Amino acid sequence: MKTRLILFIAISLLGSMACWAQEAKLDDILSAYYKAIGIEKMKEWQTVTVTGKTISQGMEYPVKVYMKRPGKLRIEVEVQGNRMIRSFDGNQGWSIVPWSGSSDPQDMTTDDKKEMKSQADLEGDLYNWKEKGHKAELIGKEDFEGSAVYKIKLTKADGDIETWFIDAENYVPLKMAATVKIQGNETESECYFSNYSEFNGVLMAKTNTNKFKGQTVSQMETDKMEINLPVSDSLFIKPVKK
Amino acid sequence: MNHIIFISMCSLIAQTALAQIRVDENTFGDIKTRQIGPATMSGRISALDAVDRNPAILYVGAASGGLWKSKNYGTTFKPVFDKYNQSIGAITIDQHHPDTVWVGTGEVWVRNSTSVGDGIYKTNNAGETWQKMGLDKSERISKIAIDLKNPDIVFVAALGNLWNSSPERGLFKTTDGGKTWKKILYIDENTGCCDVAIDPGDPDIMYAGMWEFRRTPWSFSSGGKGSGLFRSTDGGKTWSKITTGLPAGILGRVSISISPVRSGIVYTLIEAEKTGLYRSGDKGITWNLMCQSEAINDRPFYFSFLALDPVDTNIVYKPGFNLFKSTDGGKTFGSAAVEGGNYHSDCHPIYIGKKDPNLLYMGTDGGVYYSMDKGNTWRFMRNLPVSQFYHVSTDMADPFNVYGGLQDNGSWYAPSRVSSGITNSSWKSVGFGDGFYVYCDKLDSTILYWQFQGGKIARYSLRTGEYKSLTPFREKEMKELRFNWNTPMVFSPNGNTFYTGAQYLYKTSNRGDTWKRISPDLTTDDPKKEKQEKSGGLTVDNSSAENHCTIYTINESPFDSLIIWAGTDDGNLQVTDDGGKTWTNVVKNIPRLPVNTWCSYVEPGRFDKNTVYVTFDGHRMGDKTPYIFRSPDLGKTWKALADTSIKAYCHIIKQDLVNPNLLFLGSESGLYISLNGGQNWACFKGNIPKVPVMDMVIHPRDQSLVLATHGRGIMIIDDLTPLRQLSQEFQDADVKFIKAKDYVIREHSFNQEWNGDDEFIGQVPEESAPILYYMKKRHVFGDIYIEIYDPEGKLIKKLPAGTRKGINQVNWTIRMKPPKVPVSPQMEGEAMTGPNYSPGEYTVKLIRNNEVLETKIRLLSDPKSIYSLEDREVRQTALMKTYNLLESLAYLDRQAKEIRDKATTLAKGVPKPLARKLTEIATRMDTLHMKLVSTKEGKVTGEEKLREKIGFIYGSIMSYLGRPTDSQISGLDILSKEVDSCKTIANDLLAGDLVRVNQKLVTLKKEEIKVISEEAFNKEP
């Protein structure tokens, strides 16, 4: 970790010098970001199992997340001993909300699948944006709560927009503002990333804070992140209705 | 007296210790204002435009409250321009590329209280981001016209400066999308371009309205040789003034509108000695007078807008005091509203639906309305909190009420906090006209005082709803009284007396029934500036808005009621130290202050009776310099306090009640704060745009700063204590706790309303205890979190920590985790939250990598709780009993289900007698489980078992901070016994049959039936 921190300082200094010398270019910023978080190491990850909690209005709910390449994701949130499940196998998605009146799995809407697909992308939407059919542009450099950030606008292939705020000193994302179409309506939200910690050689934000209209609506805290544990494909397959 | 000496010493110490603290825009971090509206009367709307193809997309420009966008016909709005100038003059959507929108800043309805703009802006992504496109010194932009074929060609009508001559005015053209501009029509430094129109059928034909106008602090003049209607036939290269068919002589404001149906038909509204509406049927070559009625004559400087129906060439809308409509091509006008018409008077911009001309959006002095029947009936958009307060006050109710008066919207008050949100209906109206100062009597909270323009003061009874006019009249053989538009009415900090000022200062000690004059004329009494009856120019306009040589600001020293300060609009600053017997004009002692600069506020020092802070505002004479001064010796010597960070003229300065170096400055462009007595300032950006801050009050009990903004309603910084503590010590430390105010656990109200999505709801404080710390720099790498320990030292909570630079605020919802409940297909909604932690001192630790910082936070019972301590203790005991009962029920159910499931599984692989026993045990446990908790799936099962019954009592006790009902307590006892009897069933099984079954299972080398221990169960998340 210490070595990595020294590396960040070095990157930061280099970054500052580069700023003086010339306008930062999108590719340079993204490369520095990938290098800073150690994205190459992430490519060795086949599965990720996250244990944590989500906090909303002062209440905490245990959360378990399973991710598996390519593009599989299952999220379980426990409320009063019941598990709400959202699962996506790369193509199909389903959910079980036990307190909704039925414990049968329900098919996800196209919008939900779109969101799950985005979340299942381990490296994130920005990485290899061209190959993914997205369009990225560097909007500029500005102040974000006392930190200089590069603002990158990513227009995704499906039309949704993500604006990334990359710390100009450490080259990690501090915030992402999303404009997403749900049920044909555009809706905006923000996610703040903090508590960057190393997991198997990769820096990940342990705390994700979700905001809507400037107000915090929930926070996701990672307690444990286990890499390459066996994760069965059956977790992502829709169970048969009772 | 000792108290005063102590405060003075504190002040000296603090001044020495804090003198070096410098602030920047990130110092204040998470400290934010809370915007409470209101939107019930909204505010003045200066411009609007909608997308012709999809008029659900609507942009609304407020006179001083920014730019708002709706994508659903106004059901909801979002401010999209908060980083920029908040005074909007013109909005034009490029209808061929509707994501491109041009916005010109600077209101063009140039009343006395209008704000100022700073140029033109453009978005290419429907308001997501904006680019400044120049014309920075145009001050006001009245119209933007986009070439129909080439969107990079744009014409901008720049009205220019209102209060002084300026060269950046006239008609501008860009051919490169705003990168460069060329002035293509210019008369002189006093004449602006007030309108421009391009013939949609022949873009070489253009029209421009030129207007010579000027305000001074004491007059308004509309009209001059520069005014006129101009026409170009070569796309704006050359222009000629049209005179044929139009009135001769001096002209005033001009408005132009081309028929969208037939571009040969053009209307122009021209202010003249006899203001009239003219129509041309031949592309502006010849003109015919159509009408000179009252509809056309309404205040031409304020109502100069025409809107033409996109289908019927004979329908013309003319906004004025009301909306008029002609159906005969402008010959006659009547009210557009026949069956309705309950909208705010003073109508400005109108948009007519191009696909459906029944749709009208209309901006008024009181918000936006829309009509679906061509103006016959109207709906109000209840969600634009662009209210324009002049002043604010508070009372000592708990929660305190906020009082204030608004531009053209009377006087109002509302509670500063309502559990379910401050809605439009939370605001109560108490006055009419333009509202200014509003107060609650200090001794009788059923008495309020309010004002309307020109010094009209009223005392209002909340008991009867009637009011008594209190305005002082002149004494014999004295001059007529001159009251400012915004006449001061100020309470003494030392009693229930209050002051008002004309050119003389008046004081009352009996609620306004008797006034005592305590000064001579304190103004310059310049006869040249007292001719308001002639004000207006072509059209006399004497509304008291130009009244001059008047007292504008008054304040009495909190230390000495004999020291009274009065500042005048003509630049005097007067002080008396003998209660008004003798007065000294000290303004001449202020260095580098231009003569006759309007004194906008005087703030006697709160820590030293000789100290005074004062702001001056010269913008009405074209001087936008921020003038802030402090005198330590009753005005003999002065020090200038403005620094280069302050970008606008100033309305008010306030000194904090506790930290003498903490100063708040209300400017035309936002709130500024200094922590070092004014040596340096930073713009406060916490949830407040660059809106005019006209008045402020610090609540002495709640330590809140309440702001009267002229464009975004009332805003509150709930707790100033973090700002008071910031010292150099904080700025030197990497991270340091700020002592949080004790957190009072309050009762909260409940109400159920389903008002739709179209109403603004004012923010309320979070129901959580704030944990505050200052960080020198953002924390990015490694752990940072907060731990909270109860008074016994037990860790009770771990919270994510804030990581930003400056002040961080983490909100601790002071609730225990919710009780565990038996698992069921039904959510037990009553048990979704845990009880509050008890009052007491809790330890807070901030863990940042390997560093641990510690502080304390105190939770207090509400000292004003209506419930006795005994009742609250009975409630807490009953609540925890219910909580524990639910948890033990959850464990019992877990035991029952584990035994049931294991017995069922084991029964499949053992000899029949044992299998039968196992099955019988499973059945017993299933029966027990069914008794404990609802088990049916479905949305409305109505099933109630022990879990649901106990849950209901838990929820009932939770929702009320007083004593539970006897029935709840006795019901709890009954349910507790039922749980005990269920426990007995399980315990009997565990101690009896299950022991015997397990012995047999061991013999058969099968797994014994064991259940989770209660300790292990409790540790599960």
Side-chain angles (χ1 to χ4, degrees):
Chain A
M1 190 68 192
K2 198 171 179 182
T3 318
R4 189 161 292 283
L5 281 173
I6 292 166
L7 179 67
F8 296 141
I9 294 162
I11 290 169
S12 146
L13 283 172
L14 285 171
S16 308
M17 287 163 68
C19 287
W20 296 331
Q22 60 178 44
E23 277 292 306
K25 298 286 187 295
L26 174 65
D27 289 346
D28 297 341
I29 296 162
L30 290 178
S31 298
Y33 156 38
Y34 303 143
K35 198 170 175 185
I37 66 161
I39 213 158
E40 286 303 315
K41 190 79 181 161
M42 191 186 270
K43 288 178 181 166
E44 295 167 14
W45 296 6
Q46 291 308 310
T47 71
V48 180
T49 309
V50 179
T51 308
K53 55 182 175 277
T54 182
I55 306 165
S56 180
Q57 295 183 318
M59 289 177 282
E60 295 177 3
Y61 306 98
V63 173
K64 193 102 182 176
V65 179
Y66 303 92
M67 299 172 83
K68 186 175 185 178
R69 288 188 196 272
K72 295 184 173 67
L73 171 68
R74 177 181 167 112
I75 303 168
E76 299 176 355
V77 182
E78 195 177 310
V79 182
Q80 290 191 336
N82 274 311
R83 271 186 310 168
M84 181 189 77
I85 302 168
R86 288 163 61 81
S87 189
F88 180 71
D89 68 2
N91 292 305
Q92 298 304 314
W94 51 273
S95 63
I96 293 175
V97 184
W99 50 83
S100 66
S102 166
S103 55
D104 286 336
Q106 307 291 326
D107 287 337
M108 273 184 181
T109 64
T110 308
D111 296 325
D112 283 343
K113 284 192 284 188
K114 181 176 72 174
E115 185 201 342
M116 292 293 276
K117 186 181 176 188
S118 173
Q119 289 185 25
D121 185 346
L122 266 172
E123 285 85 7
D125 289 321
L126 263 181
Y127 188 69
N128 281 345
W129 54 270
K130 275 184 200 154
E131 285 81 345
K132 291 170 184 168
H134 307 332
K135 188 185 157 209
E137 68 182 296
L138 177 64
I139 303 288
K141 192 177 178 184
E142 62 182 51
D143 177 80
F144 165 65
E145 297 180 347
S147 300
V149 291
Y150 293 110
K151 210 169 154 185
I152 295 170
K153 181 180 175 184
L154 182 76
T155 306
K156 292 163 68 175
D158 57 20
D160 288 349
I161 293 167
E162 294 177 354
T163 306
W164 290 81
F165 297 70
I166 310 282
D167 188 345
E169 185 182 341
N170 301 298
Y171 289 93
V172 293
L174 299 180
K175 175 181 156 181
M176 189 271 282
T179 305
V180 178
K181 262 201 172 170
I182 301 174
Q183 306 277 34
N185 296 302
E186 273 185 0
T187 180
E188 295 172 15
S189 61
E190 295 172 325
C191 186
Y192 286 56
F193 308 103
S194 57
N195 283 11
Y196 274 91
S197 298
E198 190 179 317
F199 296 94
N200 276 36
V202 180
L203 275 173
M204 302 286 282
K206 276 175 82 176
T207 306
N208 290 357
T209 302
N210 298 305
K211 297 191 180 194
F212 181 67
K213 290 186 178 174
Q215 305 288 311
T216 298
V217 287
S218 67
Q219 289 180 295
M220 169 72 194
E221 279 277 287
T222 299
D223 295 328
K224 195 162 68 174
M225 188 180 287
E226 295 163 289
I227 309 303
N228 292 341
L229 287 185
V231 172
S232 168
D233 280 342
S234 63
L235 285 176
F236 309 101
I237 296 168
K238 186 175 153 187
V240 179
K241 285 188 181 180
K242 281 187 287 183
Chain B
M1 190 62 188
N2 283 341
H3 173 66
I4 293 171
I5 292 169
F6 174 73
I7 289 177
S8 299
M9 283 174 63
C10 288
S11 157
L12 274 173
I13 293 163
Q15 283 185 27
T16 310
L18 302 177
Q20 298 306 312
I21 305 163
R22 295 185 71 79
V23 284
D24 62 42
E25 291 181 352
N26 290 303
T27 302
F28 315 115
D30 282 338
I31 304 298
K32 291 186 163 47
T33 67
R34 177 163 66 84
Q35 192 180 354
I36 66 166
T40 185
M41 79 299 283
S42 199
R44 193 165 73 255
I45 304 302
S46 46
L48 50 78
D49 199 7
V51 174
D52 288 345
R53 288 203 299 263
N54 177 16
I57 300 172
L58 164 69
Y59 293 85
V60 172
S64 55
L67 180 72
W68 298 70
K69 181 185 175 186
S70 174
K71 52 185 185 179
N72 45 30
Y73 294 96
T75 304
T76 60
F77 278 97
K78 178 186 168 188
V80 291
F81 205 63
D82 277 6
K83 288 183 188 167
Y84 310 101
N85 189 291
Q86 293 293 290
S87 179
I88 306 301
I91 307 167
T92 298
I93 298 167
D94 179 349
Q95 298 291 353
H96 296 288
H97 315 88
D99 282 353
T100 297
V101 183
W102 290 81
V103 168
T105 60
E107 188 195 13
V108 290
W109 313 118
V110 288
R111 55 172 305 111
N112 62 335
S113 57
T114 190
S115 188
V116 293
D118 69 353
I120 189 159
Y121 296 78
K122 180 170 83 162
T123 176
N124 288 323
N125 49 24
E128 192 188 319
T129 55
W130 295 87
Q131 243 186 310
K132 180 85 171 281
M133 304 310 298
L135 304 181
D136 296 24
K137 291 180 179 166
S138 60
E139 194 178 288
R140 296 163 205 283
I141 288 172
S142 51
K143 186 65 84 65
I144 301 158
I146 303 169
D147 185 271
L148 296 172
K149 289 181 184 153
N150 182 353
D152 282 341
I153 299 176
V154 177
F155 299 88
V156 171
L159 208 47
N161 290 11
L162 168 63
W163 308 93
N164 59 322
S165 302
S166 65
E168 195 159 293
R169 63 172 95 209
L171 184 61
F172 290 81
K173 179 183 181 182
T174 177
T175 55
D176 52 15
K179 291 191 191 98
T180 57
W181 296 91
K182 194 178 165 194
K183 203 188 285 184
I184 60 167
L185 178 58
Y186 179 71
I187 306 295
D188 59 32
E189 290 192 343
N190 302 315
T191 306
C193 184
C194 54
D195 208 350
V196 61
I198 308 172
D199 187 325
D202 181 356
D204 277 347
I205 297 179
M206 294 182 67
Y207 307 88
M210 302 303 282
W211 182 31
E212 187 175 332
F213 67 109
R214 176 66 45 82
R215 271 193 180 280
T216 69
W218 54 90
S219 68
F220 176 65
S221 168
S222 176
K225 286 180 186 166
S227 294
L229 176 65
F230 289 74
R231 184 169 179 266
S232 170
T233 54
D234 53 12
K237 289 191 194 94
T238 58
W239 294 85
S240 53
K241 189 171 180 176
I242 302 171
T243 51
T244 312
L246 298 182
I250 297 292
L251 303 182
R253 192 161 188 164
V254 176
S255 173
I256 308 150
S257 201
I258 302 173
S259 169
V261 187
R262 209 179 314 149
S263 64
I265 300 173
V266 189
Y267 290 86
T268 183
L269 179 69
I270 297 188
E271 184 187 9
E273 195 177 336
K274 275 185 95 61
T275 297
L277 177 72
Y278 297 81
R279 173 173 156 143
S280 168
D282 56 6
K283 292 180 180 274
I285 298 165
T286 59
W287 294 85
N288 295 308
L289 174 64
M290 305 305 290
C291 183
Q292 288 181 319
S293 73
E294 171 214 2
I296 300 304
N297 256 323
D298 282 351
R299 292 187 102 178
F301 88 91
Y302 203 45
F303 306 116
S304 182
F305 193 95
L306 292 169
L308 305 184
D309 190 275
V311 175
D312 185 339
T313 54
N314 283 322
I315 296 182
V316 182
Y317 294 93
K318 165 67 179 70
F321 289 114
N322 299 301
L323 179 64
F324 292 97
K325 180 178 169 186
S326 170
T327 55
D328 55 12
K331 287 185 198 133
T332 58
F333 281 83
S335 170
V338 178
E339 293 172 286
N342 188 18
Y343 53 78
H344 195 289
S345 59
D346 294 359
C347 309
H348 298 292
I350 284 186
Y351 171 86
I352 307 174
K354 297 297 177 291
K355 286 199 300 190
D356 176 8
N358 288 302
L359 169 70
L360 265 63
Y361 294 125
M362 178 168 72
T364 73
D365 273 11
V368 180
Y369 294 79
Y370 71 102
S371 169
M372 288 306 295
D373 53 10
K374 294 191 175 184
N376 181 26
T377 57
W378 295 88
R379 281 189 181 177
F380 177 53
M381 294 186 184
R382 305 179 296 162
N383 44 20
L384 282 167
V386 294
S387 35
Q388 296 176 300
F389 280 84
Y390 283 107
H391 294 290
V392 65
S393 74
T394 57
D395 62 13
M396 294 303 283
D398 192 9
F400 65 81
N401 290 297
V402 174
Y403 303 81
L406 305 98
Q407 191 273 316
D408 208 8
N409 277 293
S411 300
W412 296 75
Y413 71 100
S416 59
R417 197 174 59 229
V418 177
S419 296
S420 51
I422 300 165
T423 60
N424 285 346
S425 62
S426 305
W427 289 86
K428 306 295 176 205
S429 170
V430 292
F432 50 76
D434 287 68
F436 300 90
Y437 289 93
V438 188
Y439 293 99
C440 179
D441 190 271
K442 285 185 181 176
L443 304 177
D444 184 345
S445 60
T446 67
I447 297 174
L448 306 184
Y449 304 90
W450 61 270
Q451 285 179 288
F452 65 95
Q453 60 268 37
K456 307 297 189 297
I457 301 173
R459 188 174 73 212
Y460 180 81
S461 167
L462 286 172
R463 287 196 192 94
T464 65
E466 68 176 348
Y467 69 89
K468 180 177 185 178
S469 177
L470 304 179
T471 309
F473 284 93
R474 70 178 176 87
E475 299 150 73
K476 270 187 193 168
E477 291 166 18
M478 296 199 75
K479 279 182 142 184
E480 286 295 338
L481 298 187
R482 299 187 299 273
F483 287 101
N484 196 278
W485 168 262
N486 180 354
T487 293
M489 178 176 75
V490 179
F491 263 95
S492 155
N494 301 304
N496 205 29
T497 60
F498 64 91
Y499 302 92
T500 191
Q503 64 271 48
Y504 314 110
L505 187 62
Y506 291 90
K507 179 177 181 177
T508 178
S509 299
N510 62 357
R511 297 190 165 114
D513 285 325
T514 314
W515 290 100
K516 184 183 176 193
R517 184 173 61 79
I518 59 166
S519 82
D521 188 332
L522 295 178
T523 72
T524 59
D525 190 17
D526 183 343
K528 294 193 296 296
K529 300 175 182 174
E530 296 169 12
K531 296 176 178 171
Q532 282 71 38
E533 71 281 359
K534 293 181 180 169
S535 185
L538 274 170
T539 313
V540 171
D541 199 284
N542 179 21
S543 63
S544 83
E546 291 79 26
N547 286 5
H548 203 62
C549 296
T550 67
I551 294 170
Y552 185 73
T553 173
I554 307 162
N555 263 314
E556 178 190 303
S557 166
F559 285 93
D560 184 346
S561 60
L562 298 178
I563 298 178
I564 305 161
W565 291 86
T568 69
D569 57 12
D570 53 355
N572 284 348
L573 178 61
Q574 306 266 11
V575 61
T576 174
D577 61 0
D578 53 16
K581 291 193 190 97
T582 56
W583 288 85
T584 310
N585 185 5
V586 296
V587 77
K588 59 186 178 303
N589 302 333
I590 301 177
R592 289 177 292 282
L593 175 70
V595 170
N596 296 135
T597 304
W598 189 303
C599 182
S600 50
Y601 198 76
V602 58
E603 165 87 344
R606 296 177 183 277
F607 298 86
D608 165 21
K609 72 176 190 177
N610 293 322
T611 295
V612 66
Y613 297 84
V614 63
T615 55
F616 287 85
D617 165 15
H619 87 275
R620 295 175 189 85
M621 293 197 292
D623 178 4
K624 295 171 191 161
T625 310
Y627 292 113
I628 317 160
F629 302 94
R630 177 170 59 87
S631 168
D633 48 17
L634 281 180
K636 292 185 188 72
T637 60
W638 294 88
K639 186 180 177 203
L641 299 183
D643 72 7
T644 53
S645 68
I646 301 165
K647 306 291 185 199
Y649 50 90
C650 300
H651 300 296
I652 181 168
I653 184 168
K654 280 272 171 190
Q655 187 178 29
D656 182 44
L657 306 183
V658 174
N659 178 347
N661 288 301
L662 176 55
L663 301 177
F664 304 98
L665 178 73
S667 83
E668 184 65 10
S669 184
L671 172 69
Y672 288 81
I673 295 178
S674 173
L675 285 171
N676 55 12
Q679 289 178 49
N680 108 291
W681 297 87
C683 186
F684 181 83
K685 287 182 166 175
N687 198 28
I688 175 171
K690 293 178 175 179
V691 68
V693 175
M694 302 283 277
D695 195 7
M696 293 184 259
V697 60
I698 299 170
H699 196 276
R701 182 196 62 216
D702 288 19
Q703 319 300 337
S704 308
L705 179 71
V706 186
L707 309 176
T709 78
H710 201 73
R712 285 294 179 90
I714 300 293
M715 295 187 175
I716 302 174
I717 299 175
D718 280 305
D719 183 13
L720 289 178
T721 57
L723 298 183
R724 287 171 179 164
Q725 293 171 59
L726 285 188
S727 60
Q728 191 60 41
E729 202 186 336
F730 280 87
Q731 295 193 320
D732 289 343
D734 287 341
V735 56
K736 189 171 168 59
F737 269 120
I738 297 169
K739 186 163 173 43
K741 217 163 57 167
D742 294 340
Y743 180 74
V744 178
I745 306 166
R746 295 176 190 276
E747 291 110 32
H748 57 269
S749 61
F750 169 81
N751 66 328
Q752 179 172 284
E753 288 176 0
W754 311 105
N755 288 342
D757 301 315
D758 66 333
E759 183 177 351
F760 171 82
I761 297 177
Q763 289 175 288
V764 292
E766 290 212 28
E767 288 186 0
S768 54
I771 294 162
L772 297 151
Y773 50 94
Y774 184 88
M775 286 215 290
K776 188 190 274 182
K777 193 168 187 282
R778 179 182 292 277
H779 177 93
V780 178
F781 298 112
D783 277 337
I784 181 165
Y785 57 93
I786 282 164
E787 288 180 342
I788 297 167
Y789 295 81
D790 70 11
E792 283 73 46
K794 185 181 159 201
L795 176 65
I796 55 167
K797 195 82 180 172
K798 197 174 157 189
L799 292 168
T803 58
R804 68 183 294 168
K805 182 183 174 184
I807 296 175
N808 283 268
Q809 177 169 330
V810 177
N811 293 319
W812 171 35
T813 310
I814 55 151
R815 291 188 179 280
M816 299 164 65
K817 67 181 177 60
K820 287 190 173 184
V821 293
V823 179
S824 158
Q826 303 296 326
M827 193 85 87
E828 182 46 57
E830 303 277 8
M832 286 297 287
T833 53
N836 285 339
Y837 283 107
S838 300
E841 189 172 72
Y842 291 74
T843 301
V844 179
K845 290 184 183 175
L846 175 67
I847 294 102
R848 183 170 168 262
N849 291 333
N850 298 320
E851 189 183 2
V852 180
L853 277 77
E854 193 173 309
T855 190
K856 301 284 185 192
I857 188 165
R858 286 208 306 165
L859 308 186
L860 303 181
S861 306
D862 187 351
K864 291 186 177 165
S865 171
I866 56 171
Y867 311 117
S868 68
L869 181 61
E870 188 204 344
D871 282 352
R872 281 181 276 145
E873 283 175 353
V874 170
R875 178 218 181 236
Q876 188 65 14
T877 304
L879 184 62
M880 289 314 297
K881 187 177 171 184
T882 324
Y883 182 93
N884 292 330
L885 192 60
L886 279 170
E887 294 232 313
S888 68
L889 191 77
Y891 177 59
L892 177 61
D893 185 57
R894 176 72 169 269
Q895 285 178 306
K897 284 194 302 186
E898 281 193 2
I899 296 169
R900 178 196 67 186
D901 295 347
K902 286 177 182 170
T904 304
T905 307
L906 287 165
K908 289 170 188 160
V910 293
K912 275 191 177 170
L914 181 57
R916 272 199 298 276
K917 188 64 190 173
L918 284 166
T919 305
E920 185 255 325
I921 286 172
T923 306
R924 266 156 65 192
M925 288 298 99
D926 193 51
T927 306
L928 177 63
H929 164 64
M930 303 281 276
K931 199 171 174 182
L932 303 183
V933 56
S934 60
T935 55
K936 288 181 195 163
E937 285 193 352
K939 288 214 163 169
V940 193
T941 65
E943 194 182 7
E944 281 197 354
K945 299 291 179 59
L946 273 172
R947 182 187 85 144
E948 288 70 34
K949 290 173 184 168
I950 301 167
F952 178 70
I953 291 187
Y954 174 77
S956 303
I957 299 173
M958 270 277 280
S959 63
Y960 185 74
L961 289 187
R963 190 185 191 90
T965 65
D966 293 342
S967 185
Q968 283 159 359
I969 290 171
S970 62
L972 185 58
D973 281 341
I974 292 166
L975 292 168
S976 185
K977 287 190 180 90
E978 285 184 35
V979 173
D980 286 345
S981 71
C982 291
K983 275 185 187 168
T984 305
I985 295 170
N987 289 338
D988 286 353
L989 178 74
L990 284 163
D993 282 358
L994 202 61
V995 174
R996 288 185 284 279
V997 164
N998 274 340
Q999 284 166 353
K1000 286 178 187 166
L1001 287 169
V1002 170
T1003 313
L1004 290 167
K1005 298 196 171 148
K1006 296 280 184 186
E1007 191 188 345
E1008 287 180 73
I1009 297 175
K1010 287 184 180 167
V1011 292
I1012 187 171
S1013 72
E1014 192 159 7
E1015 191 185 356
F1017 176 74
N1018 287 337
K1019 278 187 184 163
E1020 287 183 351

